[in-house]
Amino acid sequence: WLTKGMGFLSDGDPRLHFGLGESDRVQIAVRWPNGSHSTFRDVPADAYVSVTPDGITRSTAVPLPPAPAPRLSSVAPETPEDRVGYFRALASADAPAAVYERLLGALADPSEDVRSALVDALSGEQRPESLRLLLRFLEDASPNVAAKAVDAVCAYEEERAVRFLLRAFAHASPIVRERAAACFGGYFEGIRQQKVVIHRKHLAIPYLAQAVDDPDERVRIAAIRALAAAENFRGVQPLVALLDSPEAKIGNEAIRALGLIRDRYALPALREKLASGDLQADGYAQLFIALTRLDPASLDATLLDFAAGRDRFAGLDVELRLGALLAILRSPEGVVIPLGQIHMLAKTAYEAGKPTDAAAILFARIAGTSGMNDAVLASLTRAKTAAVRAAAYVARFTIAPADRAS
């Protein structure tokens, strides 16, 4: 139906357009508002006509669209090596839209190497047509190609591509799921938090929260790190649930993430974990770093008890305590605890414990890393065990490389 006068202070196009395919003639039947009918036969196509009850007037013929430009050969080379070069050439063509249909053929290429090479070629183009093809490659039968496509689509940093990347969390291959989690982790990282995919990346938080329970360890770790980078309160509850994971690596990653999110909802669970005594050196290191961010006021006394092996830490051997302090020094997040404090704690731990060779070597490494050259380190250069003397001299040389005499 054609109805006039439907717009507010405006109107719609009064013309009606009919696609006729190959027909060059048509019959037009009109029913007018007063109920009468008109029929016009043998009306030429490819034209606008003006119809009234009194007759039909033909306007100037509508020009036909220009003939399509000559297409590239529809026959791709036979060998995979030649097809790689062929599709790469198409991907870098000056008019990518004109060859889009040809590039679609690569989606069904039987060679994984060919499909993978095309993903590489498209990832460097940064064109709308390239992104459209890369989105298709997310469904590739090869997990390696699909994972590579996730990385390529991720690099476009397009808001509209987020919904396609979210589908990758349900992919059958853990490689693809891991790359999806890592992609959003990158979107949340540092300065990119304010500049990259600003709006839709937060849609990934529920997917990441679910991925922390993925059967594959790589996916779990990537999801945990992405939640840490997001610093979003919705990640706290699933991360707290991971503190009791039988896998130490997963538990340590969860502790680190909770420290970076800085939500005090996690504090009781972290304190309970500290009291459990079932951590290794890396776990204690991450726990103290996290608690420094969440509860700095009460941490100094706790760290001193830990170093001295007192109270709830009485059952921990000196090597584990020194190992935890060294792990703090080596962690990028360990800067929240001053070097001087760590060195003082290490000295307390070494002097309070049984002076084993392993403990002496750990103390020397802490001194070298923290830059503290003291009497204890000097005494270790005279130790009976060669390995201890070597560690002490390496530490002193690290602290003062120009001091050849010492």
Side-chain angles (χ1 to χ4, degrees):
W1 294 98
L2 173 61
T3 305
K4 290 290 291 169
M6 291 296 292
F8 174 71
L9 300 180
S10 62
D11 202 355
D13 190 342
R15 297 172 298 180
L16 299 177
H17 179 269
F18 301 92
L20 305 176
E22 300 297 327
S23 301
D24 59 358
R25 297 278 167 174
V26 69
Q27 175 178 295
I28 300 176
V30 182
R31 188 171 78 178
W32 301 102
N34 62 6
S36 62
H37 293 75
S38 298
T39 302
F40 306 94
R41 295 179 174 83
D42 203 27
V43 180
D46 298 325
Y48 287 117
V49 295
S50 178
V51 181
T52 68
D54 299 324
I56 187 167
T57 304
R58 187 173 186 273
S59 66
T60 305
V62 178
L64 293 173
R71 299 184 66 182
L72 294 170
S73 170
S74 60
V75 181
E78 292 185 3
T79 66
E81 293 79 10
D82 290 341
R83 291 201 302 279
V84 166
Y86 173 72
F87 286 123
R88 280 177 175 166
L90 290 179
S92 60
D94 290 336
V99 297
Y100 177 77
E101 296 298 328
R102 290 297 310 126
L103 286 170
L104 281 175
L107 292 167
D109 195 282
S111 170
E112 178 180 331
D113 292 338
V114 172
R115 303 194 307 275
S116 179
L118 180 57
V119 170
D120 287 335
L122 293 170
S123 63
E125 295 299 325
Q126 292 289 310
R127 295 167 169 170
E129 294 81 10
S130 299
L131 179 58
R132 286 167 60 197
L133 281 165
L134 288 170
L135 292 174
R136 301 282 292 272
F137 275 110
L138 293 175
E139 306 297 329
D140 195 273
S142 164
N144 292 326
V145 175
K148 187 175 285 190
V150 169
D151 290 339
V153 172
C154 183
Y156 272 75
E157 299 177 354
E158 285 272 359
E159 294 275 357
R160 57 182 170 165
V162 166
R163 64 190 179 98
F164 296 95
L165 291 170
L166 292 176
R167 295 178 190 173
F169 283 102
H171 199 280
S173 170
I175 300 174
V176 179
R177 300 196 301 273
E178 185 268 336
R179 296 316 305 154
C183 170
F184 285 101
Y187 285 166
F188 288 117
E189 197 81 49
I191 192 65
R192 303 181 82 206
Q193 175 79 270
Q194 289 81 36
K195 294 188 174 183
V196 175
V197 194
I198 296 173
H199 304 291
R200 297 186 182 178
K201 65 186 172 189
H202 295 281
L203 296 174
I205 298 293
Y207 293 83
L208 292 168
Q210 188 173 6
V212 300
D213 293 321
D214 193 275
D216 190 273
E217 182 186 82
R218 293 168 298 175
V219 180
R220 294 199 297 275
I221 290 175
I224 293 169
R225 291 177 178 175
L227 288 174
E231 298 182 12
N232 189 289
F233 72 95
R234 288 182 292 173
V236 173
Q237 192 166 351
L239 290 170
V240 166
L242 292 178
L243 294 180
D244 294 326
S245 172
E247 302 169 80
K249 191 174 183 180
I250 297 297
N252 293 348
E253 290 283 352
I255 293 170
R256 173 184 173 273
L258 289 168
L260 290 171
I261 294 175
R262 297 179 179 85
D263 192 309
R264 289 180 65 85
Y265 173 85
L267 198 52
L270 291 172
R271 287 173 175 161
E272 183 178 345
K273 188 67 177 176
L274 182 63
S276 68
D278 61 352
L279 292 163
Q280 297 302 312
D282 288 340
Y284 277 112
Q286 291 298 337
L287 194 49
F288 286 129
I289 293 170
L291 290 172
T292 301
R293 291 190 171 101
L294 291 169
D295 188 26
S298 63
L299 190 62
D300 287 348
T302 303
L303 277 170
L304 194 56
D305 287 343
F306 175 79
R310 292 195 297 256
D311 298 335
R312 53 184 155 170
F313 305 112
L316 304 181
D317 58 53
V318 64
E319 289 86 2
L320 187 148
R321 288 179 274 130
L322 287 169
L325 296 172
L326 181 59
I328 292 173
L329 280 175
R330 290 176 171 175
S331 171
E333 289 86 26
V335 295
V336 296
I337 302 178
L339 291 178
Q341 183 180 7
I342 293 178
H343 182 77
M344 181 272 294
L345 293 169
K347 187 175 180 179
T348 299
Y350 181 71
E351 292 178 339
K354 184 179 180 181
T356 65
D357 290 343
I361 292 171
L362 285 168
F363 179 84
R365 290 174 178 169
I366 292 171
T369 305
S370 62
M372 301 294 178
N373 193 356
D374 63 3
V376 176
L377 183 62
S379 70
L380 295 180
T381 62
R382 301 183 296 275
K384 294 181 180 180
T385 306
V388 175
R389 296 198 303 275
Y393 277 117
V394 167
R396 298 191 73 177
F397 183 75
T398 302
I399 296 167
D403 187 2
R404 300 288 178 174
S406 68

